[in-house]
Amino acid sequence: MYIYVNLLFIGVLSVSAAEKGIQARVKNIQESRLVYLPSTLMYISSVWPINPAVSDQRKYPQLMSSKIDTNNAEAPAGSGWRGSADLWLQAAYETVIETGVDAVRIQPLAKKLKLSRTSFYWFFKDRNELLNALLKMWRDKNTGNLVARSEAYAETIAEAILNIFDCWLNQDLFDSQFEFAVRSWALQSPEVADQISLADETRLDALQKMFIRFGFDCQKADVRARTIYLTQIGYISMKSDEDLTTRLQRISDYVEIFTGHTPEPRELERFYARHKQMN
């Protein structure tokens, strides 16, 4: 009996030692995996960047009223900084205004931003997606704000027109340079030309509805809407270099010609005050 108990005790100790040995081997394997896993992931991400374009990182502002400083966009060496969707879009915006859509290319933009070319693909699938983002930015800003100003509160049709004129004088509401660049782009792209046509139709419809709201019949409202809108597009297309002081002096006469009504002094005062604050 005594011998049997001793043998049983020795067997338990042997099993316990074996388990400890197995646990130690498992721990060593786990630790070795922890050592090599980060470096392996770093290698994989360097040769095959994960594209978070399917994640929330693709979301960029619809309106960009403040300019991002792309000249100081360079990150410290080795930081792995890729910029942001906003930064790439702003660089594309500046380029399309300065030199046209043909210059909006990934490599030149990367050079402008002092970033690697592959950084671009963290935010956009390809160049076409970037161009579509530019067009969305243009639609949201120029068409969106013009429609909003046409629906803004006004006591008279004269005051309503002054609300529209805010767009012509405030680049944060309506970007004339951007408008010119996109219309130039449309000359070589049927798809963009279609978007221009849709934008024109939307804007004219909003202006016509504004006149109808103040009692004008549909035909006269349509003609007055076209007179206002096409005059401004002419300003943009001709790149008219009319200084702000001269244009402000003409505002009252423009309102009277476009509406048949003379603006009240208080309406003009409110309008001038808005633009003096802006400048």
Side-chain angles (χ1 to χ4, degrees), residues 175-246:
D175 190 331
S176 295
Q177 289 182 310
F178 202 5
E179 185 76 14
F180 181 87
V182 174
R183 287 181 179 275
S184 299
W185 179 1
L187 297 177
Q188 55 185 309
S189 169
E191 293 80 9
V192 177
D194 289 342
Q195 294 210 35
I196 288 286
S197 296
L198 181 60
D200 288 339
E201 182 180 339
T202 301
R203 297 168 187 179
L204 285 167
D205 181 66
L207 292 171
Q208 182 185 26
K209 286 178 179 176
M210 181 188 69
F211 277 102
I212 292 173
R213 194 167 82 239
F214 287 94
F216 291 79
D217 65 48
C218 289
Q219 178 66 21
K220 287 184 170 57
D222 175 66
V223 171
R224 289 181 184 276
R226 291 177 182 279
T227 303
I228 293 170
Y229 183 66
L230 296 178
T231 297
Q232 181 58 28
I233 295 302
Y235 263 96
I236 294 169
S237 299
M238 294 174 63
K239 291 190 172 182
S240 177
D241 191 22
E242 185 179 66
D243 63 85
L244 181 62
T245 301
T246 301

Side-chain angles (χ1 to χ4, degrees), residues 8 31 35 39 42 54 85 153 159-160 196 222 231 262 270:
L8 181 62
E31 288 177 349
V35 169
S39 59
M42 287 177 65
V54 295
Y153 172 79
E159 187 174 22
I196 288 286
D222 175 66
T231 297
T262 303
R270 286 196 292 267

Side-chain angles (χ1 to χ4, degrees), residues 58-129:
R58 288 179 61 184
K59 296 179 181 177
Y60 34 78
Q62 294 179 351
L63 300 176
M64 300 179 69
S65 58
S66 58
K67 185 174 180 179
I68 297 173
D69 186 2
T70 56
N71 293 324
N72 295 317
E74 187 175 16
S79 70
W81 191 63
R82 299 176 179 86
S84 66
D86 294 358
L87 202 65
W88 285 97
L89 185 57
Q90 180 67 22
Y93 162 79
E94 292 172 6
T95 301
V96 79
I97 286 177
E98 292 167 2
T99 51
V101 68
D102 287 340
V104 181
R105 303 280 173 181
I106 299 170
Q107 186 59 47
L109 292 179
K111 185 176 180 180
K112 177 184 179 74
L113 294 172
K114 302 180 178 66
L115 295 171
S116 68
R117 177 189 173 92
T118 56
S119 300
F120 172 86
Y121 297 100
W122 281 75
F123 309 105
F124 299 97
K125 182 175 66 176
D126 51 29
R127 177 175 181 264
N128 283 337
E129 187 173 48

Side-chain angles (χ1 to χ4, degrees), residues 24 35 37 67 91 97 136 160 165-166 181 196 235 254 269 275:
V35 169
L37 182 59
K67 185 174 180 179
I97 286 177
K136 185 179 186 303
F165 285 178
D166 286 340
I196 288 286
Y235 263 96
Y254 272 129
E269 287 172 7
H275 295 285

